[in-house]
Structure formats: C-alpha cells, structure tokens
Amino acid sequence: MGHVEQLFVRVVESGSFKKAAESLRLEPSSVSRQVAALEERLQVRLLRRSTQRTTPTELGQRYYERLRVILDDQQALEEEIRSGVSLLTGKLRITAPVDFGTRFVVPVVCQLQELAPELSVDLVLGSPFERLVENDLDVAVRIGDLPDSSLIAKHLGQNRRVLVASPEYLGKNGTPESPEHLEAHNFVLYSSGQARSDIEFSDGSRYSHLKIRSNLTVNSVTAVRRLVLEGKGIHLGPLWVFAEDIESGRLVRLLPDKPLRSFPIHAVFPARSYLPVKVREFIRLLSEELNSQTT
C-alpha cells in the first residue's frame, strides 16, 4: 500500500486533516494536497470537507474499509514473519480511570516494558474517550456496563464493591444491620453521580439513592479513603481500595451477609481484522493482574 493511501486512512480515522497531519508530523496542507491528488487519480470524491469535521463519502467509506483490511493484513504478515518479543515494538496508547489505572494498569505497563524494552507506552489516565480511533488510542479500560458501540470489548474480570466505615464512626453512630438502617448514616461520596445512583445488591435488591444522606463528595479514591479512615462517614467503593484496611481492622465491612453488585471490567479496542500483538499481550497481562488481586 502506498503512502498516500495510508494518509487517507489516517484522515478518515482521525476525522480531520489537521489531526492526521499532527500524528504523522506533517503539514496539514501537504496531507490535503496528497489526498486531493488521490481523488484526482481515482476520479472519485472520497471525503466531505468542513471546518468542523472531515467525513468519508459513501465511496470513500467503502475505499477506507477495504484499505483498513489491507493494512491489518499487512501488519499481521509482518508480525508473523518476526518472532518473540520483537513483536512488541512501536507505541501502545492506553486509557484507563485514574485510580484504577494507577493501581492495576501501571504495574502491567512495567511488566510489558520488561518483556519488550523497545515498546513505548503512552498511558492516558482520566475521563473515558468515546472515540478511540480519532484519539489514536489502541485500547481503553472501562469499568461498568458498556454502551452499544462499534468497539470490541473483552471481559477482564469483576470490580467487587463494599460498604465500609471506621470503627470510630460506627462507635459514635451505630453499626447498620440492614439496608434500612443506612438512612440514619452519613455517606462520603466519590461523585455527584453516586448520589443519584441506587445502592445495588447482588441479589437484585436496591436501596434508593433518595435515602442517601451525605455532606462530603470528593472525586479522588485516595481522598475518600482518608476521609473514611478519619471517621467522616460510610463509603461504597471498590474492594481493592479497602481490602488491606478491612484486613487490618482499620475499617469495617458493613452488611457482609448482603454483598453488593459487582461491576464488569472490560478492555475495549477498535474493531479490526487483526488485533496487534502489543494489545493482545497487554490484555493478557492485565487479566492476570486483576485475577490475582481482585478475587
């Protein structure tokens, strides 16, 4: 496949000449001229250009899809010809939630680079990206139910959740023995969205969010843990955050006979005819890390 065809693929996937040019370290005018020359050669308009977004025409979309298959097949052939850890080269761009990514993805990135020192990793922690291809991301780690999309998702494990409080807080306010008793307690919340979400138990029952009372909301798992340890209230959060505190007695797991609903953890990546070895190896190592730490 020629250079100009690869430029065209990058423009379609990024949604603009500017983004495509930035990713390839070229001038946007150069990319635009080369794609225009491709259209002239094919005698077909491949792209609809606008100030907001560049999108393929119907024929452009068909051309892109066939070229994408060719590119994937070329990558598959090259990886087949090479062998061993030499497959793990280039750049791997990953996105994940901040605290989860710090705890689970960072160790996996370290393992990957021990296996393959030639691999460059760009880890973006924070808000989820809906458009992986446009943001030049290879794989995203998502927690919770996934919206319908054209992306491929691989289930990695479960994010088990618990209700916790400090012995000091419970000494002052009493220990809830059933969900109904939670109404008398104060919650430390991770987000305003949590205040609008029912507490869901694994047996399908719910505790209405309308009964949740809170005077503290902070969007940091580390800060939430500190506040709960300081006796500021009850928190509903991931078991992996509080497991050591529960084991040591610094925190108490509430309603142990009524476990909470777990959230699924997925690796999400663009639909391609061939999954790059670097993505496949990342998913394998993250799955192993999760299974060893969250069971």
Side-chain angles (χ1 to χ4, degrees), residues 83-207:
S83 61
V85 295
S86 62
L87 296 176
L88 297 171
T89 58
K91 177 178 279 190
L92 175 63
R93 280 179 51 82
I94 308 161
T95 181
V98 176
D99 297 287
F100 181 90
T102 302
R103 172 63 184 82
F104 292 104
V105 179
V106 167
V108 167
V109 167
C110 292
Q111 289 181 60
L112 263 180
Q113 292 191 316
E114 286 175 13
L115 286 172
E118 298 300 312
L119 182 67
S120 173
V121 177
D122 187 356
L123 176 57
V124 183
L125 299 179
S127 301
F129 289 87
E130 295 305 320
R131 299 179 182 275
L132 298 191
V133 172
E134 286 184 17
N135 288 285
D136 200 24
L137 290 159
D138 296 299
V139 60
V141 181
R142 302 272 174 82
I143 300 173
D145 296 327
L146 296 173
D148 291 336
S149 75
S150 61
L151 300 172
I152 305 298
K154 179 173 177 56
H155 185 263
L156 298 176
Q158 293 294 126
N159 194 37
R160 296 169 61 195
R161 303 182 304 149
V162 288
L163 284 162
V164 291
S166 71
E168 291 76 15
Y169 172 85
L170 298 173
K172 291 179 182 177
N173 299 279
T175 301
E177 301 295 338
S178 70
E180 292 73 28
H181 293 161
L182 295 173
E183 196 166 359
H185 290 270
N186 187 59
F187 279 76
V188 178
L189 299 178
Y190 176 78
S191 68
S192 56
Q194 192 173 28
R196 298 189 297 270
S197 302
D198 293 349
I199 297 176
E200 299 181 59
F201 297 94
S202 60
D203 62 6
S205 62
R206 291 171 174 260
Y207 179 81

Side-chain angles (χ1 to χ4, degrees), residues 12 17 32 38 55 63 67 69 71 76 95-96 102 121 155 168 184 187 193 197 209 222 225 231 252 256 268 286 289:
V12 172
F17 287 97
S32 181
L38 174 64
T55 57
Y63 189 54
L67 288 178
V69 170
L71 277 173
T95 181
T102 302
V121 177
H155 185 263
E168 291 76 15
F187 279 76
S197 302
H209 67 280
T222 303
R225 176 176 171 268
V252 177
V268 180
L286 181 56
E289 179 75 12

Side-chain angles (χ1 to χ4, degrees), residues 1 18 26-27 38 53 60 81 84 88 94 147 184 186 195 213 218 220 229 231 235 240 248 250 264 267 271 278:
M1 182 185 297
K18 182 180 178 182
L26 298 172
E27 289 296 323
L38 174 64
R53 181 169 166 74
I81 296 301
L88 297 171
I94 308 161
N186 187 59
R213 180 168 58 86
V218 55
S220 161
L229 286 168
H235 179 67
W240 62 265
S248 69
R250 289 189 296 268
K278 60 187 177 183

